[in-house]
Amino acid sequence: MKEFQAAITDLSHDGRGVARVEGKAVFVSGALPGEEVRLAIRRRHRNFDEAEVIELLTRSPHRVEPKCRHYGQCSGCSLQHLDAASQIQAKQRVLAENFERIGKVQPATWLDPLTDQPWGYRRKGRLSVRNVVKKGRVLVGFREEDNPRFVADIEQCEVVHPALGPKIGLLAQTISGMEAAGDIAQIEFAAGDDTMALVFRHLKPLSDADRAALIAFGQEHGMAIYLQPGGISSVHPLWPESPRLAFRIAADDDRAHDVELEFRPLDFVQVNAGMNQRMMSHAMQLLDPQPDDRVLDLFCGLGNFTLPIARRVATVAGVEGEHGLVERAAANAERNGIANAAFHVANLFEDQRNAVWAREPWNKLLLDPPRAGADKVLEYLPHRETQRIVYVSCHPGSLARDAGILVQRHGFKLVSAGVMDMFPHTAHVESIALFERA
């Protein structure tokens, strides 16, 4: 590989350093703005190249030593070499640039960033599994940084929930000793407040000995074990017979406003439990729910926002495209003694303007869409009665686009916006924005 010396002038949206070599943009993994590096081109493209650092010639004052010994090999969190304050600043800059470039809008006020514990926060995720015959053992972990076809060889993970993070190597050892060592494709993990669940996706039926080995692992480490021999509907508990996964959302003002949500191990829940709690408090402050409010919660999932809102308003409706999530949201409402929340199944990427819930007069709206955003919904919502909108986003580009729609087409003003560090040590940007009728 040909080597070059270059100055790093910026940080890309995916967390790589940016340099120019022979007039061409080069994205450099592990490099930070202000650093001088010797690099080697790893991949060439028409408009840019990708490179790796061979030698760090000058060091950024914001560089820190990564906590994880697998940093640089594992793709799980690529910004561990950047101090926490600079990570947040980089995410704020990404959000501001997207608002300006895509939405042509800027918030009247920037919210202070929301942060929480930066380690051991990940309660949901998927581990890849690979049986490496030449090594005579199984690897369990996330994909490699430089080659996503391969599984990083890790013993522990600093960002995964502490019930599992330190035990990934032990999990790999257990699978290595199984007859089905080559037939376990992946392991989904999900943690409630009291239980860590592992879901083993296996391509062939497991022997009695293999099932016993997984049960023994679960019993020794206090984890619920599920099997998935086929599609999502095939997931079932192996041990114990009826595990319970649930998490509580505490209210800031009154414990009577607390809610508890039960979920299944493959259900979508916010990855970061601590940040979810802080995000909930923040969203409530921005939405400012009042006893006579009628609130519409779109992309509601299990009712993560719907049920806390219901404790404070006259009525709330949650709309979600996945039938199973809607069923469990309704069950969670009943379990919490909430009678003023209704739930509807609807594909929000299709035109739903004739649905009964879409025609009702909602004075407040909450949106928490996936990465694609909510532009299809914004073709027919909000109505004139809607005075306030809180938008929770996992993608700054789609939020910026939708902000432009709300401001330019629907006559709202972007009152405030800010980032939430849902995924510390990654370039992922989670954010929240408040819109009010102008």
Side-chain angles (χ1 to χ4, degrees):
M1 293 185 295
K2 190 175 180 181
E3 297 181 4
F4 300 89
Q5 183 170 326
I8 306 300
T9 59
D10 200 359
L11 197 66
S12 70
H13 287 190
D14 63 1
R16 293 182 290 179
V18 181
R20 296 200 75 84
V21 175
E22 298 180 340
K24 192 176 184 182
V26 180
F27 297 103
V28 189
S29 298
L32 297 175
E35 295 184 333
E36 191 81 19
V37 301
R38 194 157 56 87
L39 59 83
I41 303 297
R42 196 171 62 220
R43 297 184 186 89
R44 292 191 179 273
H45 306 273
R46 175 175 294 182
N47 298 319
F48 66 93
D49 291 333
E50 297 175 89
E52 61 184 2
V53 175
I54 301 300
E55 183 181 359
L56 186 62
L57 303 175
T58 59
R59 182 186 178 94
S60 166
H62 303 294
R63 178 177 286 275
V64 295
E65 287 302 314
K67 181 176 181 178
C68 180
R69 58 179 164 166
H70 304 298
Y71 169 80
Q73 177 195 12
C74 173
S75 63
C77 32
S78 59
L79 286 180
Q80 283 194 42
H81 61 300
L82 182 61
D83 67 60
S86 298
Q87 289 186 31
I88 291 294
Q89 290 172 7
K91 295 178 183 186
Q92 287 177 307
R93 187 175 68 251
V94 169
L95 181 59
E97 289 174 352
N98 276 269
F99 275 138
E100 182 177 357
R101 179 173 54 87
I102 298 174
K104 312 298 182 186
V105 295
Q106 284 293 318
T109 302
W110 283 102
L111 300 169
D112 291 337
L114 285 187
T115 61
D116 200 70
Q117 294 296 327
W119 304 106
Y121 66 82
R122 192 177 183 99
R123 66 173 170 184
K124 190 84 165 61
R126 176 183 297 167
L127 297 169
S128 298
V129 181
R130 186 179 182 209
N131 184 27
V132 183
V133 177
K134 290 182 179 179
K135 292 186 176 182
R137 60 190 179 91
V138 167
L139 305 182
V140 176
F142 298 106
R143 295 292 176 173
E144 287 188 356
E145 175 75 23
D146 294 332
N147 195 338
R149 294 180 301 169
F150 294 101
V151 179
D153 186 1
I154 68 176
E155 289 294 318
Q156 64 184 60
C157 179
E158 301 289 349
V159 298
V160 167
H161 190 286
L164 175 62
K167 302 173 182 177
I168 292 177
L170 297 176
L171 182 57
Q173 290 177 23
T174 296
I175 299 174
S176 293
M178 293 170 53
E179 298 170 26
D183 299 318
I184 305 293
Q186 64 189 37
I187 304 166
E188 301 258 4
F189 64 90
D193 288 346
D194 303 315
T195 305
M196 168 64 74
L198 302 181
V199 182
F200 292 81
R201 174 75 176 97
H202 54 99
L203 306 178
K204 296 179 181 178
L206 298 183
S207 67
D208 289 343
D210 283 354
R211 293 163 70 92
L214 293 180
I215 291 173
F217 183 88
Q219 291 175 333
E220 180 179 355
H221 299 289
M223 301 183 193
I225 305 298
Y226 290 75
L227 300 181
Q228 184 186 355
I232 292 177
S233 63
S234 71
V235 174
H236 62 279
L238 175 64
W239 184 88
E241 183 176 339
S242 301
R244 182 176 184 267
L245 290 172
F247 62 91
R248 180 168 290 275
I249 300 173
D252 294 335
D253 52 353
D254 185 351
R255 289 193 63 182
H257 288 167
D258 290 2
V259 297
E260 185 184 58
L261 280 72
E262 288 191 2
F263 66 101
R264 295 182 183 178
L266 298 192
D267 285 346
F268 172 81
V269 298
Q270 294 290 350
V271 162
N272 189 324
M275 183 54 61
N276 187 53
Q277 179 66 59
R278 292 178 62 81
M279 176 178 68
M280 187 63 58
S281 299
H282 204 42
M284 289 300 169
Q285 292 173 11
L286 296 176
L287 190 65
D288 189 27
Q290 299 298 316
D292 58 348
D293 281 342
R294 294 174 49 81
V295 182
L296 180 62
D297 177 14
L298 299 178
F299 307 95
C300 70
L302 288 165
N304 189 59
F305 288 101
T306 325
L307 300 188
I309 291 171
R311 294 284 201 204
R312 297 165 171 82
V313 302
T315 186
V316 59
V319 186
E320 164 64 41
E322 188 177 331
H323 191 275
L325 288 177
V326 171
E327 285 186 344
R328 287 185 280 286
N332 279 323
E334 183 177 359
R335 191 176 298 111
N336 283 273
I338 293 173
N340 63 333
F343 293 93
H344 307 274
V345 180
N347 183 347
L348 294 172
F349 297 104
E350 296 178 354
D351 193 333
Q352 302 289 340
R353 74 185 70 216
N354 293 322
V356 172
W357 57 264
R359 298 198 304 269
E360 293 186 26
W362 309 103
N363 69 304
K364 292 180 180 177
L365 176 62
L366 188 139
L367 298 161
D368 184 13
R371 290 177 61 86
D375 58 327
K376 298 300 181 184
V377 171
L378 298 180
E379 291 178 4
Y380 53 92
L381 289 173
H383 296 313
R384 286 192 301 271
E385 295 88 352
T386 306
Q387 299 298 313
R388 178 171 293 210
I389 299 172
V390 172
Y391 193 130
V392 177
S393 169
C394 61
H395 191 272
S398 58
L399 170 59
R401 179 202 63 208
D402 294 348
I405 294 172
L406 285 168
V407 171
Q408 296 151 21
R409 188 184 307 172
H410 291 289
F412 281 78
K413 59 181 178 181
L414 177 52
V415 176
S416 57
V419 298
M420 304 181 291
D421 204 14
M422 187 68 73
F423 295 83
H425 314 299
T426 77
H428 179 93
V429 180
E430 193 95 5
S431 53
I432 191 166
L434 170 64
F435 299 85
E436 290 181 349
R437 181 73 70 179

